[in-house]
Amino acid sequence: MDHGASSRCRACVDAGVNSYRRPVDITYYAGVAAMDIKDSVALVTGANRGLGRHLAQQLLERGAAKVYATARRPELVDLPGVEVLRLDITDPESVAQAAAAAQDVTLLVNNAGIATFADLVTGDKAAIRLELETAFWGTLEMVRAFAPILRANGGGAIVNLNSAMSWVAADRANAYHVAKAAQWALTSGVRLELASQNTRVAGVYLGMTDTGHQQWWDGPMGDPAVAVGAMLDGLEADQLEILVDDLATGAKAALSADPRDFYPAAA
């Protein structure tokens, strides 16, 4: 690399580092207003089952004034007390319709997801794309649609349901790993971009949780009600990355470890 190119790269790095020192970012990390669930108006994606249903239920139990429970098949939402909306986060028109119907939202919970169990080298490319369409593009579509609504309503919060696999790879789940890693990066990016409008952005990270859809898994699983309680506790405690369980904590720590220690089969 020539000296001029090296200088330009150094300038880019310096500019990136210095961007974190802008007053808006200092204000944010000093504390965008913590989210108070009581009296909030929440929208939960993928609320017809699993963690999404538990989230909608516990939000109501914690005093949310209204909970929009959304799903691609709204007839499957069976939770009393919620307002049901049809929503497919991979369909921009569906997202726009949900945003138009939920102009009072102060808390957006991006829970909807998919796992195709595709590998990267030999897996179905359509499945890999679907993972990214859901975890990255679908989440981004929701953020873009609801950011102006949150701004108009005082800032509020966005919570993205990520995964311990945002940080670790695994055979037969690498498409999911890539998609969740992209969602982690998205969460960090929009946190910075939305700081100036006082919108708190949190990511939730957890391992295997028993939502009734892991018949293929014979290892330990967390209790979804306990996991959701930890998520909401972390939100109200103003945590930016909410690590729900030991697997998530270990996966985050692995980022700074030698890959040979974490992936001995590939060493």
Side-chain angles (χ1 to χ4, degrees), residues 4-230:
S6 177
S7 297
R8 288 192 295 272
C9 287
R10 179 67 257 173
C12 290
V13 171
D14 289 343
V17 170
N18 287 335
S19 72
Y20 288 94
R21 298 175 183 146
R22 293 176 300 175
V24 63
D25 302 324
I26 294 170
T27 300
Y28 180 83
Y29 286 107
V32 167
M35 187 69 203
D36 186 357
I37 291 172
K38 188 177 184 336
D39 298 326
S40 66
V41 176
L43 184 144
V44 182
T45 65
N48 58 301
R49 64 179 186 175
L51 290 170
R53 190 181 188 282
H54 281 279
L55 278 159
Q57 180 176 1
Q58 290 196 31
L59 285 165
L60 286 174
E61 292 171 353
R62 292 186 183 221
K66 183 191 295 186
V67 175
Y68 292 100
T70 75
R72 285 180 299 171
R73 296 179 59 191
E75 69 275 11
L76 297 180
V77 178
D78 62 354
L79 186 63
V82 299
E83 187 163 331
V84 180
L85 292 177
R86 181 192 175 277
L87 174 60
D88 178 351
I89 68 169
T90 66
D91 178 356
E93 183 177 348
S94 178
V95 172
Q97 290 172 351
Q103 289 286 306
D104 51 351
V105 165
T106 61
L107 171 59
L108 172 63
V109 183
N110 288 310
N111 164 74
I114 190 170
T116 66
F117 307 105
D119 273 334
L120 297 173
V121 178
T122 59
D124 182 355
K125 286 189 287 187
I128 299 169
R129 289 192 180 98
L130 180 58
E131 297 262 18
L132 284 161
E133 283 291 336
T134 305
F136 179 79
W137 288 109
T139 300
L140 181 58
E141 196 73 39
M142 290 295 294
V143 169
R144 290 170 67 102
F146 279 88
I149 296 171
L150 293 170
R151 181 179 64 242
N153 294 328
I158 297 171
V159 178
N160 293 335
L161 268 289
N162 292 22
S163 168
M165 288 199 68
S166 300
W167 300 317
V168 294
D171 286 338
R172 297 180 299 281
N174 280 323
Y176 184 81
H177 164 54
V178 167
K180 285 299 184 178
Q183 190 180 39
W184 171 44
L186 180 157
T187 301
S188 298
V190 299
R191 177 183 299 130
L192 190 64
E193 292 179 24
L194 297 182
S196 62
Q197 69 171 49
N198 201 40
T199 297
R200 180 188 187 284
V201 180
V204 173
Y205 304 86
L206 69 166
M208 290 299 300
T209 306
D210 186 5
T211 57
H213 305 282
Q214 294 89 8
Q215 293 85 351
W216 53 274
W217 175 260
D218 59 3
M221 289 190 288
D223 182 326
V226 173
V228 167

Side-chain angles (χ1 to χ4, degrees), residues 245-258:
D245 51 31
D246 290 342
L247 184 55
T249 302
K252 181 67 184 291
L255 288 174
S256 60
D258 188 331

Side-chain angles (χ1 to χ4, degrees), residues 227-248:
V228 167
M231 294 176 203
L232 298 182
D233 287 346
L235 173 64
E236 292 196 301
D238 202 24
Q239 295 176 12
L240 299 183
E241 289 190 342
I242 302 168
L243 305 182
V244 170
D245 51 31
D246 290 342
L247 184 55

